[in-house]
Amino acid sequence: MKLLKTKLAIALLATGLSFSATAADITIAYDSDPVTLDPHEQLSGGVMQMSHMLFDPLVRFDKAFNFEARIAEKWERVDDTTFRFTLRKDVTFHSGNKLTADDVVWTFNRLKKSGDYKAIFSPYKELKKIDDYTVEIISTEPYPLVLQTATYIFPMDSKFYSGEIDGKDKAIIVKHGNSFASTNVSGTGPFIVTSREQGIKVVFERFDNYWDKKSPGNVDKLTMVPIKENATRVAALLSGGVDLIHPVAPNDHKRVIKTKGIELTTVPGTRVITLQMNQNSNEALKDVRVRQAIVHAINNEGIVKKIMKGFATTAGQQSPTGYAGHDENLVPRYDLKKARALMKEAGYEKGFNLTMMAPNNRYVNDAQIAQATSSMLSKIGIKVDLKTMPKAQYWPEFDKCSADMMMIGWHADTEDSANFSEFLTMTRDAETGKGAYNCGHYANPKLDALVNKANAETDPSKRSEMLKEVEQILYNDAVFVPLHWQNLAWGAKSNLQISPIVNAMNFPYFGDLVVK
């Protein structure tokens, strides 16, 4: 890490702000780098992390899941279906354009067209401009999660992204392909991108005209490098080659803790790791008894104990403790004897073959978990053809639901149980975007109706009961294999003040990072 005085630091000191006299140049290593610069191309943790560096949302969660004003400086509910946001007047895009309500309206309309995001915004009829710095978002019926969904609205520079280049619309969203927005960026966030080599490194530099003058962050330059292998990533930190790494695999926690000048920061996570069972690609998986057998055959408590070294919470459902739909009665159900009985009852006593895919650099120990799962399924006669691959190759395969079983982890960015179902288990609907990540191809009109009803219920207790019923249905139908909720760990040099900027969402607010 280099410490250097910069024009930015000097300028801020001259204004009397509390910014550090020195600005930091740090290198961080993640298991992978962002696959795109387009915040609407893919709904994933990596893209959301990138969005918080290059853009700013209307509001964001703090560590305690309270709402923090960002581009919106205040908000109010006007009536049952209308919510008003007042925008800051001092926000400039990286391009130099000033942010106005037109940019927020433009961004909202683009989100409604995004295959990955439109489900989140399906409850809304429109977002309309009231004046240059006031917008109103209007839902089709009373909706309890307006502020939660506002955390997804990262205003884009409508002037920068409008028009054509090489005969193509600059605003077009191309998933897993090249587009103007996937390789060019003009946000309002604390950093700009000065260079990017996919799979090699991304270099971010502080945006001189960043609106948040109260941010304590003093990182002037941040280089992100992808290091896929856990051991190599830790070695880079311990040798001083990088300043911060994520994730730190459970096997490496003790090494990090014992190293002088290095600290381990951990946060209880809410991202559930699951395996989806594709009922369209494998006839056997249409039988609920077979799916139940698979759930009973997978010892997820053993996975947490041996592979995750206890650094995860075993899951029996999708909603973690504290979420509205969490039901403490829906527990893990490993029972090999019962699994074999269910296979026999379903007519698969001799087993069958299936294919499985999983990433090898997306979730903590993902490849090892998939390998262990394959081994466990062999005990009930299921022969698994497993393929693991880097996430850059995995997500295009996931979008095609290319295997009979596919791994996916999901963090409900609205911090709400319904979000899991909207993307993972509701019936696939290309028009609304519901079920966009449902590679199990589970379809249950009753469940769809319950989730939609819950999303229009503003009474918290009634809504909680509806979402618990959703979890019970998913549990009984063995729609997916719940594995665990993944905890989070960062390793960093002790002069990096990591704790204030990391959170259970795994969206570190690097703009606020202080380096002493």
Side-chain angles (χ1 to χ4, degrees):
M1 181 190 70
K2 304 168 187 174
L3 290 173
L4 63 158
K5 288 190 175 181
T6 66
K7 292 179 181 178
L8 172 63
I10 294 170
L12 287 171
L13 281 174
T15 64
L17 295 175
S18 58
F19 198 90
S20 169
T22 56
D25 175 352
I26 65 170
T27 299
I28 67 175
Y30 267 52
D31 50 356
S32 59
D33 54 346
V35 297
T36 178
L37 297 179
D38 185 345
H40 300 166
E41 182 181 328
Q42 184 182 64
L43 180 54
S44 69
V47 170
M48 291 293 288
Q49 289 163 9
M50 177 273 296
S51 296
H52 280 282
M53 297 176 74
L54 301 177
F55 300 83
D56 259 310
L58 294 185
V59 298
R60 73 181 184 187
F61 289 108
D62 65 14
K63 288 176 73 76
F65 298 114
N66 299 309
F67 294 104
E68 178 184 353
R70 301 305 292 168
I71 298 301
E73 61 181 1
K74 61 181 180 180
W75 50 85
E76 62 179 321
R77 182 174 285 281
V78 177
D79 56 39
D80 284 349
T81 58
T82 304
F83 218 91
R84 179 177 298 155
F85 291 95
T86 302
L87 309 176
R88 298 180 186 278
K89 297 178 180 177
D90 56 352
V91 180
T92 303
F93 286 108
H94 299 162
S95 67
N97 294 325
K98 294 290 185 182
L99 179 142
T100 70
D102 292 328
D103 298 300
V104 180
V105 173
W106 188 92
T107 301
F108 176 85
N109 291 336
R110 190 172 189 261
L111 281 163
K112 294 276 281 185
K113 297 175 184 173
S114 166
D116 276 27
Y117 287 85
K118 61 185 176 184
I120 294 173
F121 293 93
S122 61
Y124 300 112
K125 184 169 63 176
E126 64 176 325
L127 187 148
K128 67 179 183 181
K129 174 182 175 181
I130 304 303
D131 59 38
D132 280 351
Y133 296 99
T134 307
V135 296
E136 287 182 351
I137 190 167
I138 302 167
S139 55
T140 53
E141 53 186 304
Y143 186 56
L145 302 176
V146 176
L147 288 175
Q148 284 87 343
T149 52
T151 64
Y152 287 96
I153 302 177
F154 294 84
M156 297 177 71
D157 184 345
S158 61
K159 293 177 182 174
F160 179 82
Y161 291 102
S162 295
E164 291 190 349
I165 186 167
D166 298 330
K168 296 180 180 177
D169 184 356
K170 293 166 71 175
I172 191 171
I173 301 170
V174 180
K175 195 164 186 182
H176 308 309
N178 289 322
S179 67
F180 178 80
S182 70
T183 53
N184 296 274
V185 61
S186 175
T188 63
F191 296 104
I192 61 173
V193 173
T194 56
S195 71
R196 177 172 179 253
E197 299 173 79
Q198 179 74 52
I200 305 296
K201 67 176 179 180
V202 188
V203 179
F204 302 85
E205 292 189 9
R206 194 85 180 182
F207 176 37
D208 287 350
N209 292 323
Y210 186 43
W211 64 269
D212 189 359
K213 307 302 183 189
K214 294 182 180 178
S215 170
N218 67 342
V219 174
D220 188 49
K221 182 178 180 182
L222 187 154
T223 301
M224 176 183 286
V225 295
I227 301 179
K228 185 182 75 173
E229 295 79 12
N230 293 333
T232 307
R233 200 163 51 249
V234 170
L237 175 66
L238 301 189
S239 67
V242 301
D243 302 290
L244 178 150
I245 64 170
H246 176 78
V248 183
N251 284 341
D252 296 317
H253 285 190
K254 288 184 180 178
R255 288 179 66 200
V256 172
I257 291 170
K258 289 181 178 179
T259 302
K260 186 178 181 181
I262 303 291
E263 293 183 0
L264 182 75
T265 301
T266 61
V267 173
T270 55
R271 180 186 301 281
V272 67
I273 306 297
T274 69
L275 290 167
Q276 297 190 340
M277 295 177 275
N278 190 339
Q279 298 181 40
N280 279 6
S281 67
N282 192 312
E283 186 67 23
L285 297 176
K286 290 182 178 177
D287 192 320
V288 65
R289 295 167 296 184
V290 172
R291 299 196 303 273
Q292 289 171 341
I294 289 173
V295 170
H296 282 87
I298 294 175
N299 182 1
N300 52 348
E301 291 181 343
I303 289 172
V304 166
K305 183 178 180 180
K306 294 184 177 179
I307 297 177
M308 300 300 290
K309 303 298 181 186
F311 193 60
T313 304
T314 309
Q317 57 194 297
Q318 55 189 358
S319 301
T321 301
Y323 276 34
H326 179 79
D327 185 339
E328 61 183 9
N329 297 310
L330 305 181
V331 297
R333 40 186 163 167
Y334 171 59
D335 185 336
L336 198 53
K337 184 177 179 181
K338 186 169 184 178
R340 287 173 175 148
L342 284 163
M343 288 288 281
K344 182 178 181 180
E345 184 182 333
Y348 289 98
E349 186 175 10
K350 295 182 179 179
F352 60 91
N353 296 340
L354 61 73
T355 57
M356 180 188 294
M357 285 184 179
N360 59 22
N361 66 342
R362 176 61 189 92
Y363 311 114
V364 176
N365 293 335
D366 41 17
Q368 296 95 316
I369 293 167
Q371 289 159 3
T373 300
S374 300
S375 177
M376 292 170 184
L377 291 179
S378 70
K379 295 180 180 178
I380 58 171
I382 296 178
K383 186 177 180 181
V384 178
D385 177 10
L386 171 64
K387 292 181 181 177
T388 64
M389 61 197 74
K391 73 175 186 180
Q393 285 82 53
Y394 182 69
W395 290 121
E397 296 297 333
F398 186 91
D399 284 340
K400 293 184 288 187
C401 301
S402 297
D404 300 330
M405 291 186 73
M406 303 203 73
M407 180 180 288
I408 186 168
W410 199 265
H411 164 250
D413 298 308
T414 53
E415 303 305 333
D416 182 80
S417 298
N419 182 268
F420 290 113
S421 293
E422 286 174 307
F423 286 93
L424 303 179
T425 57
M426 286 184 75
T427 304
R428 277 179 168 259
D429 185 329
E431 184 175 343
T432 66
K434 296 287 177 63
Y437 286 75
N438 177 2
C439 267
H441 292 285
Y442 176 73
N444 184 338
K446 180 181 177 182
L447 181 132
D448 296 346
L450 261 175
V451 176
N452 288 332
K453 189 176 179 182
N455 279 344
E457 178 56 66
T458 56
D459 183 316
S461 60
K462 291 180 181 177
R463 188 166 185 275
S464 176
E465 289 305 310
M466 294 175 191
L467 293 173
K468 284 182 179 179
E469 187 176 350
V470 168
E471 289 284 8
Q472 185 69 62
I473 292 171
L474 296 172
Y475 192 84
N476 293 343
D477 286 352
V479 175
F480 58 91
V481 181
L483 294 171
H484 53 262
W485 292 289
Q486 180 180 279
N487 292 342
L488 303 169
W490 291 262
K493 294 179 179 176
S494 54
N495 60 331
L496 273 65
Q497 296 188 333
I498 294 298
S499 183
I501 70 155
V502 297
N503 47 58
M505 293 87 72
N506 197 10
F507 304 151
Y509 299 147
F510 283 113
D512 296 335
L513 175 62
V514 173
V515 180
K516 289 187 175 179

